[in-house]
Amino acid sequence: MTLRRRLALLSALAVAFAVLLASVLVYTLVRDRLRGDIDNDLRHQADVVTERAGDVAPLIAGSAQGPVTIGTGQGSASLSKNGKPPPPPPGAKQVEGKKAINAPPEAGDRVFLQRAVPAPGPGGPPSLAQLIGADGAAVTDIGSQVRLPVSDTDKALATNGGDASFSDVSAHDTSFRVLTQPLPMGGAIQVARSLEDTDHTLNTLIIILAAVSAGGIALAAGLGPFVARAALAPAGEVSDAAEEVARTHDLTHRIEVRGDDELGRLAGSFNEMMAGLERSEAAQRRLVADASHELRTPLATLRTNIETLGRTENLDPEERKRLVADLTQELEEMTELVGDIVELARAPGQDAIARQDVALDELTRDAIERAERRARGMRFEPDLHPSLVNADAQRLGRAISNMLDNACKWSPEGGTVEVEVDHGRVVVRDHGPGFPVGDLDKVFDRFWRADDARGKPGSGLGLAIVQRVADEHDGSARASNAPDGGAVVSLELPELPGPNGS
């Protein structure tokens, strides 16, 4: 599967998940809102019943001998067989605004509360009411065919009192939302509302949300490929550019950077990579050209001296000795040049650096001893303080030797070279003419040589190797001129704490 197809599939899945999640949230919020409205209505009706029941508390108290039925807003009464309410028996009590029928406390007849449950508002759904006596018996409205199931929790609430509670029950194949609330005079009132309208509304909402979700997912699946194609256009340009470079080897190829997002940064990184490769190739070409130029002179000298030795049979011994010495010197210079070229041609990080804790002062002392053997007549003034660094001893030693050789080359005959080591820093100073002021920024360039150095031995790679070693060890190399004359070259590496460190 291509990246574009994977991205289109992931986009469709993300949209589907978002649509489904939004649908679930909408359904949950609407359901909670509808049920919350029902709960508020039931709580209001129960409060009204509790308040009105308090007006006839003496009559209700006399109903302990039997269950009590209350009205649902239309008024209810105990009916006789002919459908008419029986006349009130002797001793029936009359309460202002309400009529107690068949309710003499001493006879234990029923007490009926007319208009106990408030009538529903205009267009509002009717409510069912049921009274639970202190003995746990439940009585419904006169004429009601629905009797709400009474749980043990409801009976305990009617008997012992407590906080009102909501519950969902099923009766006569209908779901009801029921509020059970204790009454002040004992017992409890149950007010119920059918959930048929709410369930119908929620079922309709489910159908609508399902249709919207299906449409959104289908739309996401259809638009996914187009979105993926537009989003991956910069990545496609990078891929095409890479294939073009691989085919033509044209490192000057660049792509347009659009925006600063991830793909824009990818395009910018590609351009930076191509620029780095271009610089690297240019440096390699320059290295090969400079190396061939530097090798041309010693090779020509070697060829001339060898031809001279081959043509002359009766060569003067002194002349032969001089030619052999010249050949030896040229071979040494050429060997050193080839070694320097190989060192600089090596890519940074190509060979692992064998790091170890190195006493910089001891390593510099060894390099001074070697320089004294090569440059006889030169005087070295070392000022070496204990200093410990973590470095490749072989490469660091070569860099220090190059600094000393450069100082010896520019010092006058019998001159002095000052060497200082302290805090991870090696400073070498000669007393020669110093660096040309305008060329200080070129001192560490490959094959750079001052105009006065054209006739002197060397290839111009020694200080370039010093810079390479400094970079490999997270250090720095600097060149300057001393105020009273002479050149100063320094190499500084991070110093380690320890017996020989700071």
Side-chain angles (χ1 to χ4, degrees):
M1 184 182 293
T2 62
L3 177 61
R4 182 176 297 173
R5 290 183 178 179
R6 288 199 299 270
L7 183 58
L9 178 60
L10 291 175
S11 300
L13 291 177
V15 172
F17 177 78
V19 171
L20 292 177
L21 181 60
S23 299
V24 171
L25 291 176
V26 170
Y27 175 81
T28 303
L29 292 175
V30 172
R31 184 197 61 187
D32 293 344
R33 180 62 182 271
L34 293 176
R35 294 175 71 91
D37 291 342
I38 293 176
D39 291 350
N40 291 334
D41 289 344
L42 293 178
R43 191 179 289 110
H44 171 69
Q45 292 178 0
D47 291 340
V48 172
V49 171
T50 302
E51 180 181 354
R52 292 180 178 178
D55 297 338
V56 292
L59 299 182
I60 297 178
S63 66
Q65 303 299 324
V68 177
T69 302
I70 63 175
T72 60
Q74 303 299 325
S76 64
S78 176
L79 300 179
S80 62
K81 292 183 179 180
N82 57 10
K84 298 181 180 180
K93 297 183 180 180
Q94 186 73 26
V95 180
E96 183 180 358
K98 298 179 177 61
K99 181 173 61 175
I101 304 175
N102 293 337
E106 61 280 0
D109 293 336
R110 295 187 176 187
V111 176
F112 297 96
L113 301 178
Q114 295 182 350
R115 296 182 299 277
V117 177
S127 299
L128 296 177
Q130 180 170 288
L131 190 65
I132 305 175
D135 57 355
V139 178
T140 60
D141 300 341
I142 292 300
S144 174
Q145 297 180 353
V146 177
R147 179 179 290 272
L148 301 174
V150 179
S151 65
D152 293 338
T153 303
D154 297 334
K155 293 179 180 179
L157 189 64
T159 303
N160 304 320
D163 296 331
S165 64
F166 286 96
S167 61
D168 292 340
V169 301
S170 178
H172 291 264
D173 299 327
T174 304
S175 297
F176 292 91
R177 182 69 168 168
V178 180
L179 170 63
T180 304
Q181 180 169 299
L183 294 173
M185 71 292 297
I189 182 70
Q190 284 189 311
V191 185
R193 174 78 63 81
S194 172
L195 293 177
E196 287 184 346
D197 292 341
T198 301
D199 292 340
H200 177 72
T201 301
L202 293 177
N203 292 335
T204 304
L205 180 62
I206 290 176
I207 296 175
I208 295 174
L209 292 177
V212 172
S213 300
I217 294 173
L219 182 62
L223 295 179
F226 299 98
V227 175
R229 186 179 297 109
L232 293 178
E237 293 181 2
V238 174
S239 178
D240 295 340
E243 294 175 356
E244 179 70 15
V245 171
R247 184 178 62 84
T248 63
H249 302 283
D250 181 15
L251 298 180
T252 62
H253 189 80
R254 301 290 185 272
I255 59 178
E256 182 181 358
V257 179
R258 300 186 183 94
D260 56 353
D261 56 3
E262 289 79 3
L263 293 176
R265 292 197 297 271
L266 175 62
S269 299
F270 177 85
N271 290 339
E272 292 178 2
M273 179 188 68
M274 296 303 299
L277 290 175
E278 185 179 7
R279 290 192 299 268
S280 177
E281 185 184 40
Q284 290 179 3
R285 290 178 178 177
R286 186 167 59 253
L287 176 64
V288 171
D290 293 341
S292 62
H293 175 75
E294 294 294 334
L295 287 171
R296 189 178 295 114
T297 299
L299 285 175
T301 303
L302 284 173
R303 180 178 181 179
T304 300
N305 290 336
I306 291 174
E307 289 177 350
T308 301
L309 287 174
R311 287 197 308 266
T312 305
E313 298 179 358
N314 299 322
L315 190 63
D316 182 71
E318 292 295 329
E319 184 66 19
R320 181 182 293 275
K321 183 177 180 180
R322 185 186 64 79
L323 287 175
V324 171
D326 288 345
L327 286 172
T328 302
Q329 182 178 358
E330 292 293 336
L331 285 174
E332 290 178 352
E333 291 184 5
M334 201 160 102
T335 301
E336 182 179 356
L337 174 60
V338 171
D340 291 343
I341 293 175
V342 171
E343 173 68 20
L344 290 175
R346 176 180 54 82
Q350 183 176 358
D351 297 333
I353 299 178
R355 288 178 176 267
Q356 58 182 334
D357 292 349
V358 178
L360 188 59
D361 53 313
E362 297 296 334
L363 191 65
T364 304
R365 184 175 288 107
D366 295 341
I368 292 175
E369 292 177 358
R370 292 193 300 270
E372 287 176 340
R373 291 193 295 269
R374 292 194 303 268
R376 299 187 182 278
M378 296 297 300
R379 186 164 59 90
F380 291 86
E381 293 185 355
D383 181 16
L384 310 180
H385 300 275
S387 182
L388 187 67
V389 296
N390 184 258
D392 188 313
Q394 181 178 0
R395 295 183 182 182
L396 182 56
R398 182 173 184 181
I400 296 174
S401 296
N402 288 352
M403 296 167 64
L404 296 175
D405 292 342
N406 182 78
C408 292
K409 181 172 66 175
W410 289 101
S411 294
E413 185 176 355
T416 301
V417 176
E418 301 175 8
V419 184
E420 179 184 358
V421 174
D422 194 14
H423 297 296
R425 188 166 179 248
V426 181
V427 181
V428 178
R429 178 195 174 182
D430 61 51
H431 290 270
F435 297 112
V437 177
D439 293 337
L440 280 174
D441 57 340
K442 303 176 183 178
V443 170
F444 297 104
D445 291 348
R446 298 174 180 179
F447 295 105
W448 177 84
R449 302 179 71 182
D451 295 337
D452 297 340
R454 299 301 178 184
K456 296 180 179 292
S459 60
L461 297 176
L463 294 184
I465 293 176
V466 174
Q467 181 67 62
R468 165 67 71 85
V469 172
D471 294 339
E472 291 176 339
H473 292 81
D474 301 324
S476 61
R478 293 182 177 84
S480 61
N481 291 322
D484 53 347
V488 180
V489 179
S490 64
L491 171 63
E492 185 173 2
L493 303 181
E495 186 181 24
L496 297 177
N500 294 329
S502 58

